[in-house]
Structures are given as structure tokens and as C-alpha cells.
Amino acid sequence: MRRKLVAGNWKMNGSLASIRGWCETVGSAATDEGGPELVLVPPFPYLAEAAARLTAEGVAVGAQDLSLRDAGAYTGEVSGGMLADVGCSFVLVGHSERRALHGESDAVVADKFAAARRAGLRPVLCIGETLDERETGIAERVIARQVRAVIGQVGIAAFVGAVIAYEPVWAIGTGRTASPQQAQEVHRYVRGIFSAIDANIGNSLQIVYGGSVKAANAAELFAMADIDGGLVGGASLDAAEFLAISRAAA
């Protein structure tokens, strides 16, 4: 049975004080080994602080991005090895905001997934369609392209221990949420892509939903057969709300 996973992506929000308060609240209330995996994904400056406060409590820390290169004269970049060195165990790759605002192509996302693997990090591959792509009936084609670009680059075996985050772009930060049935249809479709190549990897792969997840809708979403938790955005900034979402996944 797949273990649920709930990750809080703070994006470019927070402060040192708010990180410390969040860690104190969530760390002291973290679920036991039978509960979901919990992951905090704060901005880069707070990674080491979060790791120092959360790792002993069983809460993992992830980064929001990484360089596709391992080292060198790349000012402003942060390598996977550096992230691992400060205590990260997860990293997001291909978040819709990186694709849209920074022009990251499927090929770049695939290279970043490979870089995460080289550093021993668990990549969280973000995929999803825009509202226009959904309304024109090409959502599955877009998602298949995003997934297959990475499989083609790194191979199916690289997805052991990885996570897929389905985040419909039209539901991120908009207050709109895919219905549990809509989300389940996409999750089942994504699992089918992997299962057609390797049934064991397809069945064990954690596929989480991201798109205005909050305590009020988490239980219904997480009850779906192929939804293995959530990549939580704005709601994760509130420690109590994040814990309520994690209880829905327990």
C-alpha cells in the first residue's frame, strides 16, 4: 500500500521567525510512522534552519528548485549536492511557475530531475495543464508529453522513490480546485503511463495532487484511489491548517 505524502510549498513567502514558529508547531505534532510523510518546502535561505529543526521530528525538507548542473561558474544557481548538504531530501522539479515564468522546457525539467537523482534527492516532478489546454481537450496529451520527456531522459528505474505532483495550472492559487473525480481521472491516467512500462513502479509511485488544497477539501481528494496526498501551496503557511490537511491523509 502506498504511503500518503503531504508537502507544503511556501513559494517566496515567510521569514525566519515564521519558519521557526511553523517548525515548532508541526514538529511537535508530527504524525508517527503510520501517518503520511510530511515535507516542508521553504525558500532557499530557510532550508538549513528548517532541516535542523524538523529532521529529528521525522519531517523532511525539500527545495523548490535546483540547478541542472552539479558545480561551476553559474552565479545564482544552487546544486543538488548543496541542497543535500544542508539537509534536503526532496526537491521540486518542473513546477508550473518555473515552466511559465522562467521558460523551463520539458528537456530542462528532465535534466533537473536527473541532477536531483545524482545528488541523492527525491525529485517531485510537477506536471499539469492550463485552463486552455483542458478546455480544448488536450490535457492528457500535455501531461503525457511532460512525463514521457523525463522517462525518456532518465529511464523508468529513476522513478523508484520519486513523486509525481499533478497540479492543474488553472487551480493553483486561484481558489479553484479540480473535483476529486477530475483529479482522480488524471492520476489514474498518469499511473497508467508508468504501469504500462513497469507495473511495479506504476503501482508503487506516489502521485499527489496540488491545486488549492486545504483542510476543507483534503479528505475528499485523498480518498480517491490514485491520489496519494498533496502538494499544498498557500494553505501550508498556516501550521494548524497544514496539520489538519496531514490528518486528512492519515
Side-chain angles (χ1 to χ4, degrees), residues 49-64:
E49 180 78 14
R53 290 174 175 269
L54 291 174
T55 303
E57 305 295 342
V59 180
V61 174
Q64 298 175 14

Side-chain angles (χ1 to χ4, degrees), residues 5-201:
L5 182 146
V6 179
N9 177 18
W10 277 35
K11 306 189 181 185
M12 198 174 72
N13 294 298
S15 64
L16 191 57
S18 62
I19 281 286
R20 287 172 173 166
W22 194 98
C23 291
E24 182 177 351
T25 299
V26 174
S28 63
T31 55
D32 59 27
E33 293 182 0
E37 293 184 82
L38 300 183
V39 187
L40 174 62
V41 189
F44 283 132
Y46 309 132
L47 288 170
E49 180 78 14
R53 290 174 175 269
L54 291 174
T55 303
E57 305 295 342
V59 180
V61 174
Q64 298 175 14
D65 187 34
L66 81 165
S67 175
L68 53 83
R69 302 174 179 89
D70 296 335
Y74 305 107
T75 301
E77 295 285 282
V78 178
S79 73
M82 293 172 180
L83 297 176
D85 198 32
V86 298
C88 287
S89 50
F90 288 83
V91 62
L92 306 184
V93 295
H95 191 280
S96 63
E97 291 157 3
R98 298 293 311 179
R99 294 179 189 261
L101 301 178
H102 298 272
E104 293 191 0
S105 65
D106 293 337
V108 167
V109 173
D111 285 340
K112 288 190 172 187
F113 189 104
R117 276 314 199 189
R118 289 195 302 272
L121 299 170
R122 292 178 63 184
V124 180
L125 173 62
C126 301
I127 59 173
E129 80 283 5
T130 65
L131 182 60
D132 181 64
E133 288 164 342
R134 170 164 283 272
E135 290 182 340
T136 55
I138 63 170
E140 288 188 353
R141 189 188 315 168
V142 169
I143 288 165
R145 186 202 74 220
Q146 293 170 340
V147 168
R148 294 187 191 282
V150 183
I151 296 175
Q153 168 78 354
V154 302
I156 193 71
F159 282 86
V160 174
V163 180
I164 303 291
Y166 168 56
E167 43 166 29
V169 179
W170 49 271
I172 298 174
T174 64
R176 299 178 62 177
T177 308
S179 71
Q181 293 73 27
Q182 286 175 317
Q184 164 60 19
E185 287 173 4
V186 176
H187 281 236
R188 182 175 57 212
Y189 174 73
V190 173
R191 195 175 304 284
I193 293 174
F194 286 91
S195 294
I197 302 170
D198 187 306
N200 288 332
I201 290 176

Side-chain angles (χ1 to χ4, degrees), residues 1-2 191 194-195 198-206 228:
M1 183 175 178
R2 296 181 301 273
R191 195 175 304 284
F194 286 91
S195 294
D198 187 306
N200 288 332
I201 290 176
N203 290 333
S204 62
L205 185 65
Q206 289 172 309
D228 302 318

